[in-house]
Amino acid sequence: MFRISTRLVILFKNFVVKIPLERKGFLQCRNEKVIWKKYKDVAPLAELRFALLGIIIQKRYTEVDYIPIEEVDKIKSIIPEFQFENGDLWNYENWGQEENGNYILLDYGNSKYVAGLYKK
């Protein structure tokens, strides 16, 4: 299965490949690598398995139909880089679930700068 926005996302059974298609997509992939390195031990982030030249490979999680606002508030409190208004953390498609039921943020490449690029 494929999903396309600023990145081509290829969904495999156990992993996801994100390939940037434009500058915003490249910046999102770069941000995911930075956020992963900084917060992987304290925040519910999709496991980053590989990152090189803007291409990201992450573990695949179960899709969800809903994300509790408490989960969004929790991730924003853990990761100061997410303290901006026009992000898409509230979008349930950016979240998944582990087998134990814990919510996992799948798409964490956004930043205040990248979100601002969408207005232009």
Side-chain angles (χ1 to χ4, degrees):
M1 176 189 283
F2 298 93
R3 293 184 183 166
I4 299 176
S5 61
T6 60
R7 304 185 277 184
L8 171 64
V9 179
I10 306 169
L11 306 171
F12 294 92
K13 182 178 179 182
N14 296 314
F15 64 95
V16 175
V17 178
K18 298 177 181 181
I19 303 167
L21 299 176
E22 59 177 79
R23 182 170 178 259
K24 286 182 270 191
F26 176 80
L27 293 172
Q28 288 174 313
C29 287
R30 187 184 70 184
N31 287 346
E32 282 185 335
K33 182 178 178 181
V34 169
I35 293 293
W36 172 255
K37 284 183 175 183
K38 197 170 179 180
Y39 298 104
K40 65 182 177 184
D41 295 326
V42 295
L45 301 171
E47 177 187 334
L48 192 145
R49 294 185 172 172
F50 177 83
L52 183 65
L53 301 174
I55 297 172
I56 296 288
I57 298 177
Q58 293 175 320
K59 178 180 175 181
R60 186 166 181 189
Y61 296 86
T62 303
E63 295 177 6
V64 297
D65 295 326
Y66 167 79
I67 185 66
I69 192 68
E70 296 83 16
E71 294 296 324
V72 175
D73 291 342
K74 180 170 86 174
I75 198 98
K76 288 180 97 168
S77 71
I78 295 170
I79 302 177
E81 289 89 340
F82 292 162
Q83 295 296 328
F84 58 96
E85 293 303 316
N86 55 341
D88 57 358
L89 293 176
W90 52 267
N91 184 344
Y92 71 89
E93 292 179 341
N94 292 332
W95 292 82
Q97 223 168 9
E98 292 183 293
E99 292 174 5
N100 63 8
N102 290 337
Y103 288 97
I104 298 291
L105 184 58
L106 307 176
D107 184 352
Y108 47 92
N110 209 350
S111 68
K112 186 174 183 177
Y113 175 74
V114 171
L117 295 175
Y118 284 91
K119 295 181 198 176
K120 297 175 181 178

